[in-house]
Amino acid sequence: MSDSFETHVFGAPGSFHAGKGDINNIFMPSSTLGAPPRKKPADELWWLRRRFVEPAGLGEAREILKASHTVFIDGAPGSGRVAAAQILLQDIQDDAGQLHQLVPQEEENVPRIDHTHVGDGELVWLDLSALTGPRWEEVHAELSSLRATVQKRDAYLAVILPDKAATLDPTLAPYRARIERPAVAEVLARYLQVEKIDRPTPLPPLRFLATARRMEDVPAYVDLIRRARDEHREGDFTMWSETAFTAWSGQAQDVAEQMAALVTGQERALLITVAMLHEAHADVVYRASAALLDRAEHPPEDLPLLEHAFLDKRLHEIGARLDDSGTVQFAKLDYDAAVRSYFWTHMPGLHDTLRDWVVSTVDSPDLSPLERKNLVERFTAQCLLHERYGQVLASLLNQLTALPTTGRKMEAAAQVLQRGLRDEKQGRFFRRQIYNWSRISNLSSQIAELIIVACRDEMMVKYPAEALVRLHHLARRETGTRARDTLVALVNDAPRLRRQMLARLTEATFEPGKFSSDITLFMELADPEALTALGRRNHALVDEKTIRRQLTYGWSLVFAQLHYGTWAPFVRRWLTVAVEDDHHRDTLIDIIVHATSGDVILLSRFYEMTRTTPSLIPLSTLISQRFGTFSHSQ
């Protein structure tokens, strides 16, 4: 992949500076941005396992995976195939740190599956359910070689096959297993049990179960039941489930009827404000409603202040109320979501006005952190309903990060990006935008910080390989070291990521040596202790022929482009590990010597280093011998 490119950033300018010259940016430490990192995979798997109902066919899939290290999971959409894959892998080995997702690569002229993303003993799943036509054929052609890599590295692989019947190569067909969707009522009962919601056994007839439901519908419905219970403690399961179903069905007709009755701008502004700031304090709602009217260029109310209607009366007219703590909420469960959906669908001319209002509102000191977070989440969720609204979020990010920005705006921008990355349908769009950003020279520090946070705290959970690619592009172009330091820290946690980065720093596809920052990055990642550490199969990275070739070439770039004073400390550490590691000593010496290509000056400096450093003296004779042998072979 060439590093030449065109600059495309959401199609909007703003703070995305891609030209020459200085940028006067504020520095926002990435540790202060966004929500805390997502739950660790172990926590997510624990959550899933407690609610998992084993489908028919899972036993056969389990046996295939144990025996062959690979299983191809077939099943109808909505049958819980991804959950089944994760549970199967966890059953093999209870080590969530080893479990991650493989993602087909989208770039041209590269394999669709990068085998370097499969580490020793790792548990990986590959979701191909959305693939069709040529893309499926391309990935299918690589599945046999992927399975060979999985076996070689003592790993385990679960592949979710496309939704439509996929024809597997005859050599792979024996590893195919079909799972059947478990009964939704059984899954619902399990969720209710875990949430400790009192219910009759067996479950009574429920309108929710009257029609076919996907597995992912169940958690949302159970959450509504829980909320109904919490609001109506005196009720019973029948009341809670009916209230929840009313909310589940959307309440669109109720909102439409209410909108027909609310004819003034003040009433409608208060309605959408309450929906966007649901459960916020009354003071916040009051000021935000007035600000929305101002944004919409609505004429002010032509009455003296003391003649304005009281807030409690105005709230009652729109079906909302004040609780004892002064917060505002609708009387009907989840009615705020229905109102937001109605306004977004039926008043498209309000989209830009709402975006501008959100930008100013999130920066208000009146809002609590939770109120601010909820506002950003709700607006972002509306924009994620369809890919056509991506430009609204693009403009929102531009406005939030444009100078002069603030910490509150940067937090909001980080949350927008995080939410976009987590969206099942739009996540790919946001990953692509981060990729485009990361390849811009002179990128603003605000956007650079967003990229670092998004890659470190969000993408690393599900798309670690893609996160590293984006951090690497950013590290190549940054003036500081924040992206590089983050990248190194992430690689140090996972051997397979070191394998990936060594390839990016030394393989011709990625233009090694073109960026000076790559040379120093290579020295940090060519950590001799990590390279010689024995993994699950009593195997070290440096034992691999490809890794040794990459290391040799990488060191040759170091010696060709950097001064002695820069690389000497790294070579000294390399040689120190060689002294201490009897098993890999010869390998480490051979790599460093061959990287000199017979340069007498370099080899003499190695020799001098071993003679003048007491701990390295045992290597002086070995270096001298290698020099002689290498020179003779040349």
Side-chain angles (χ1 to χ4, degrees):
M1 179 177 63
S2 172
D3 223 36
S4 61
F5 62 96
E6 295 181 29
T7 300
H8 297 289
V9 187
F10 279 113
S15 63
F16 303 111
H17 177 75
K20 297 181 179 180
D22 297 330
I23 314 172
N24 297 316
N25 289 329
I26 63 170
F27 168 59
M28 298 294 298
S30 59
S31 60
T32 70
L33 294 181
R38 292 184 66 185
K39 295 181 297 182
K40 293 181 180 179
D43 297 329
E44 294 183 353
L45 285 171
W46 176 80
W47 185 94
L48 174 62
R49 181 170 287 282
R50 292 183 67 204
R51 294 159 176 79
F52 187 70
V53 175
E54 184 165 315
L58 194 72
E60 179 189 2
R62 183 179 289 112
E63 293 303 316
I64 292 174
L65 181 63
K66 287 181 179 179
S68 64
H69 285 238
T70 303
V71 63
F72 297 95
I73 300 175
D74 200 358
S79 57
R81 292 165 296 172
V82 173
Q86 295 175 350
I87 292 295
L88 286 173
L89 292 167
Q90 189 188 29
D91 287 345
I92 292 292
Q93 177 187 322
D94 190 13
D95 184 357
Q98 296 285 95
L99 192 152
H100 68 94
Q101 181 177 8
L102 288 180
V103 181
Q105 300 189 103
E106 300 175 5
E107 289 80 6
E108 297 299 325
N109 303 318
V110 297
R112 288 290 162 241
I113 306 297
D114 190 337
H115 294 202
T116 65
H117 299 169
V118 180
D120 291 338
E122 290 190 330
L123 314 168
V124 294
W125 81 91
L126 177 61
D127 186 359
L128 305 179
S129 59
L131 292 193
T132 58
R135 285 205 71 204
W136 157 246
E137 294 172 2
E138 291 172 354
V139 173
H140 178 250
E142 299 179 16
L143 290 178
S144 292
S145 61
L146 174 62
R147 180 170 178 268
T149 297
V150 166
Q151 290 183 312
K152 177 182 177 182
R153 294 180 180 159
D154 194 28
Y156 288 86
L157 168 69
V159 180
I160 294 93
L161 291 174
D163 288 344
K164 296 182 179 179
T167 302
L168 277 178
D169 185 282
T171 61
L172 300 177
Y175 313 113
R176 183 176 191 157
R178 181 175 180 82
I179 66 170
E180 302 297 332
R181 189 178 75 159
V184 177
E186 187 177 354
V187 176
L188 177 61
R190 177 68 59 84
Y191 270 79
L192 292 170
Q193 177 186 359
V194 172
E195 294 295 336
K196 298 181 180 179
I197 296 174
D198 293 334
R199 78 279 181 206
T201 304
L203 287 175
L206 297 174
R207 285 197 289 166
F208 176 79
L209 298 175
T211 56
R213 300 292 180 189
R214 296 172 64 94
M215 290 297 105
E216 54 262 38
D217 293 340
V218 174
Y221 179 60
V222 171
D223 184 62
L224 288 170
I225 294 177
R226 178 193 58 78
R227 290 169 56 192
R229 179 202 62 184
D230 293 346
E231 291 184 15
H232 306 284
R233 286 287 183 179
E234 71 283 358
D236 56 15
F237 181 77
T238 299
M239 174 191 288
W240 303 333
S241 60
E242 280 300 303
T243 301
F245 187 78
T246 298
W248 171 266
S249 62
Q251 306 179 90
Q253 184 60 38
D254 291 348
V255 179
E257 292 174 0
Q258 182 179 31
M259 286 297 295
L262 299 178
V263 295
T264 70
Q266 285 87 353
E267 291 173 324
R268 293 180 175 183
L270 184 60
L271 183 67
I272 186 59
T273 300
V274 173
M276 297 297 292
L277 289 166
H278 196 245
E279 297 184 329
H281 194 273
D283 292 350
V284 171
V285 172
Y286 176 81
R287 294 189 180 97
S289 176
L292 180 57
L293 285 168
D294 186 57
R295 285 281 176 185
E297 299 181 350
H298 191 280
E301 191 172 359
D302 190 20
L303 285 173
L305 180 60
L306 291 175
E307 294 184 25
H308 289 189
F310 288 105
L311 182 59
D312 61 342
K313 182 178 184 297
R314 296 177 60 201
L315 290 172
H316 178 74
E317 290 172 350
I318 64 169
R321 64 194 177 196
L322 279 170
D323 66 13
D324 293 339
S325 63
T327 60
V328 180
Q329 55 188 297
F330 286 111
K332 296 179 181 178
L333 179 67
D334 218 39
Y335 195 68
D336 57 305
V339 172
R340 292 193 297 271
S341 178
Y342 188 91
F343 268 92
W344 192 261
T345 302
H346 298 288
M347 294 194 74
L350 196 62
H351 292 174
D352 290 348
T353 299
L354 280 175
R355 176 204 61 212
D356 297 343
W357 173 77
V358 166
V359 171
S360 61
T361 303
V362 297
D363 199 35
S364 169
D366 290 343
L367 272 69
S368 70
L370 179 59
E371 290 167 346
R372 185 175 296 108
K373 178 182 177 181
N374 287 341
L375 174 60
V376 174
E377 160 65 26
R378 290 160 182 164
F379 182 80
T380 305
Q382 294 301 136
C383 293
L384 291 173
L385 291 174
H386 195 283
E387 61 184 12
R388 70 183 299 119
Y389 304 129
Q391 292 303 318
V392 180
L393 284 179
S395 180
L396 176 65
L397 285 168
N398 273 327
Q399 291 178 250
L400 290 170
T401 57
L403 293 174
T405 189
T406 65
R408 288 186 289 263
K409 287 184 178 181
M410 288 295 292
E411 283 276 0
Q415 185 185 342
V416 170
L417 194 54
Q418 178 192 71
R419 179 65 176 81
L421 287 168
R422 292 187 184 185
D423 190 81
E424 290 295 328
K425 295 181 179 180
Q426 307 298 336
R428 178 180 174 187
F429 167 79
F430 281 90
R431 296 197 304 276
R432 170 55 58 177
Q433 298 314 311
I434 292 176
Y435 179 78
N436 290 340
W437 285 339
S438 69
R439 290 161 59 93
I440 294 177
S441 299
N442 296 324
L443 186 70
S444 75
S445 62
Q446 301 93 272
I447 299 303
E449 292 301 327
L450 292 185
I451 293 175
I452 292 171
V453 171
C455 291
R456 182 197 65 200
D457 296 347
E458 191 62 36
M459 289 185 64
M460 278 298 298
V461 175
K462 196 173 181 180
Y463 302 97
E466 292 190 28
L468 255 63
V469 169
R470 285 145 182 79
L471 284 173
H472 182 207
H473 281 302
L474 186 61
R476 280 177 157 181
R477 296 165 174 86
E478 68 179 346
T479 55
T481 64
R482 295 195 298 279
R484 188 185 76 188
D485 294 344
T486 301
L487 178 58
V488 171
L490 294 175
V491 169
N492 284 338
D493 286 338
R496 64 183 164 81
L497 300 183
R498 193 177 306 275
R499 182 185 284 112
Q500 176 189 349
M501 282 308 304
L502 287 176
R504 289 187 62 83
L505 294 170
T506 61
E507 297 293 342
T509 306
F510 306 107
E511 301 180 290
K514 177 179 179 179
F515 294 84
S516 59
S517 60
D518 277 1
I519 310 301
T520 54
L521 179 58
F522 169 83
M523 289 194 296
E524 291 194 62
L525 296 181
D527 178 354
E529 291 185 2
L531 291 166
T532 57
L534 298 180
R536 286 169 47 84
R537 296 180 293 122
N538 203 32
H539 164 83
L541 280 176
V542 78
D543 292 332
E544 300 177 18
K545 182 178 179 181
T546 299
I547 295 294
R548 293 196 298 273
R549 174 180 57 79
Q550 292 170 344
L551 290 169
T552 300
Y553 183 66
W555 278 116
S556 72
L557 293 175
V558 169
F559 300 143
Q561 297 192 28
L562 299 182
H563 296 295
Y564 172 80
T566 302
W567 56 255
F570 293 90
V571 171
R572 187 174 289 109
R573 183 162 183 255
W574 184 276
L575 295 176
T576 298
V577 172
V579 171
E580 299 169 350
D581 190 336
D582 295 339
H583 183 69
H584 295 107
R585 180 177 301 133
D586 287 344
T587 299
L588 293 175
I589 295 300
D590 285 344
I591 288 171
I592 208 79
V593 168
H594 280 78
T596 68
S597 299
D599 188 306
V600 175
I601 295 178
L602 283 174
L603 288 168
S604 64
R605 283 180 166 174
F606 291 169
Y607 182 74
E608 179 66 18
M609 187 180 294
T610 60
R611 295 290 295 171
T612 58
T613 306
S615 62
L616 299 182
I617 289 177
L619 292 182
S620 58
T621 302
L622 190 58
I623 291 287
S624 179
Q625 291 174 347
R626 286 292 195 280
F627 181 22
T629 303
F630 182 73
S631 299
H632 180 72
S633 68
Q634 295 295 303

